[in-house]
Amino acid sequence: MQTIVFLDRDSLQAHVRRPAFEHEWREYAASGAGDVVERLRGATIAITNKVPLRAADIAQLPDLKLVAISATGTNNVDLDACRERGIVVSNIRNYSLVPVPEHCFSLILALRRNLKAYGTDVDAGHWQRSSQFCLLSHPIADLAGSRLGIVGYGALGKKVAAIGRAFGMRVCVVSRSKVDDPGVEVLTLDELLHTCDVVSLHLPLTAQTANMIGAGQLARMKPGALLINTARGGLVDEAALARALTGGVLGGAGFDVLSTEPPAPDNPLLALRLPNFILTPHVAWASAGAMQTLADMLIDNVEAFAAGQPLNVV
């Protein structure tokens, strides 16, 4: 009989059906790093969203056979340690192809049309005191005819590109894989940063991509350009971004992720009070429909593993 332990059940606000095989189920609303070994002792299947499973933990869990990540990102699990022990690691793929691109364009539209700044002006009474019918206190830019740069052209990047084309944007991409899509211009990262009006990140956090957007890359961006990150916070040097925004190097930025989550109080982006910076708390993925899809795929992965045919193996 399998023993299944869900370390952070409250991270998934959806119905999670029980697997269709004999098992013991234990779940915890949340778990800290220090809880992992004790709570997973005797477990054959661990479910985690963001709770870290490090090599030292895995070494103390001889019964563990599957780590089912209830998310796409895998950087919270020591994959090498799992590989050495023969532990299968599975993740969830392509469940957020609707909410993340929609959130991405919510940020883009809000920043290009200066919605945050205009909302603040109305709250302050500036429109009410205007000498004419409208208040033109901040610049407004259209998306049509502008250049959308997408770094990482996987499933999410392609969805963002499709929405960009629907708005009349010219799509440019940086991709490790060959791109055959008509109307998509393939550039180097430096070329894309230098020429695009909006740059959106859609790639995983790895040793190679950590802090890939630093002070030098921000300085290379086109004047007035926007940087959008709905992928992983560690892709961008946050201190450098804060300096670029306060110094007027960027036109604006919209972020849904930070390098540490929940963020530390001293994160430099939390202190920004700028009309051209929008920060949301890692919710781009979290529509009700997407969370239910994720929950269903999670148990699909667990059942497939128990049947000897594991799915979505990392």
Side-chain angles (χ1 to χ4, degrees):
M1 186 174 68
Q2 303 282 2
T3 299
I4 305 169
V5 178
F6 198 154
L7 290 171
D8 48 355
R9 174 65 179 85
D10 281 4
S11 65
L12 183 55
Q13 296 181 17
H15 169 69
V16 180
R17 74 177 191 274
R18 295 298 181 260
F21 56 82
E22 188 178 2
H23 66 277
E24 176 189 353
W25 180 279
R26 301 199 304 267
E27 64 181 41
Y28 300 91
S31 300
D35 299 321
V36 169
V37 172
E38 185 58 35
R39 292 182 174 181
L40 289 182
R41 203 175 299 282
T44 55
I45 297 174
I47 300 176
T48 177
N49 188 323
K50 294 295 181 288
V51 180
L53 271 71
R54 302 307 181 200
D57 303 322
I58 293 165
Q60 300 178 68
L61 300 169
D63 299 312
L64 193 60
K65 299 292 185 282
L66 169 69
V67 176
I69 302 174
S70 57
T72 300
T74 62
N75 52 293
N76 59 317
V77 176
D78 192 314
L79 299 180
D80 290 335
C82 288
R83 190 176 295 111
E84 290 174 7
R85 278 272 313 281
I87 297 170
V88 174
V89 179
S90 65
N91 69 343
I92 312 295
R93 305 174 190 182
N94 299 336
Y95 72 95
S96 59
L97 295 181
V98 170
V100 170
E102 286 187 2
H103 194 93
C104 177
F105 269 89
S106 296
L107 296 171
I108 293 170
L109 287 164
L111 290 165
R112 287 283 283 188
R113 302 197 66 83
N114 255 312
L115 298 187
K116 184 177 178 182
Y118 275 113
T120 299
D121 284 356
V122 172
D123 290 343
H126 296 326
W127 187 22
Q128 299 86 316
R129 296 188 294 271
S130 175
S131 60
Q132 57 179 342
F133 73 97
C134 62
L135 181 69
L136 298 174
S137 49
H138 306 281
I140 297 172
D142 299 324
L143 294 185
S146 65
R147 290 170 64 88
L148 170 62
I150 299 171
V151 184
Y153 199 56
L156 282 171
K158 289 178 181 178
K159 287 287 187 178
V160 170
I163 297 173
R165 286 194 292 269
F167 273 109
M169 303 179 80
R170 296 173 57 191
V171 176
C172 308
V173 303
V174 173
S175 177
R176 292 183 303 174
S177 304
K178 185 178 179 181
V179 177
D180 294 321
D181 296 0
V184 173
E185 186 177 358
V186 180
L187 301 175
T188 66
L189 178 61
D190 189 65
E191 291 170 336
L192 183 143
L193 294 174
H194 189 56
T195 61
C196 287
D197 302 288
V198 179
V199 175
S200 190
L201 306 180
H202 298 281
L203 66 173
L205 178 62
T206 66
Q208 290 71 41
T209 61
N211 282 337
M212 65 178 295
I213 305 296
Q217 289 73 30
L218 293 167
R220 284 287 293 160
M221 290 182 68
K222 184 176 179 180
L226 305 179
L227 178 63
I228 308 296
N229 188 7
T230 55
R232 286 292 180 265
L235 299 173
V236 178
D237 182 330
E238 291 164 344
L241 176 62
R243 291 192 297 269
L245 287 167
T246 55
V249 174
L250 284 182
F255 273 48
D256 184 56
V257 287
L258 293 177
S259 56
T260 301
E261 297 171 346
D266 60 351
N267 186 299
L269 298 182
L270 293 180
L272 297 180
R273 297 293 182 269
L274 299 172
N276 61 342
F277 177 61
I278 300 173
L279 178 63
T280 54
H282 204 146
V283 293
W285 65 281
S287 70
M291 282 196 283
Q292 190 56 58
T293 298
L294 187 157
D296 294 341
M297 294 175 73
L298 170 67
I299 302 306
D300 288 345
N301 284 348
V302 170
E303 290 176 336
F305 169 80
Q309 299 177 322
L311 295 172
N312 297 316
V313 175
V314 178

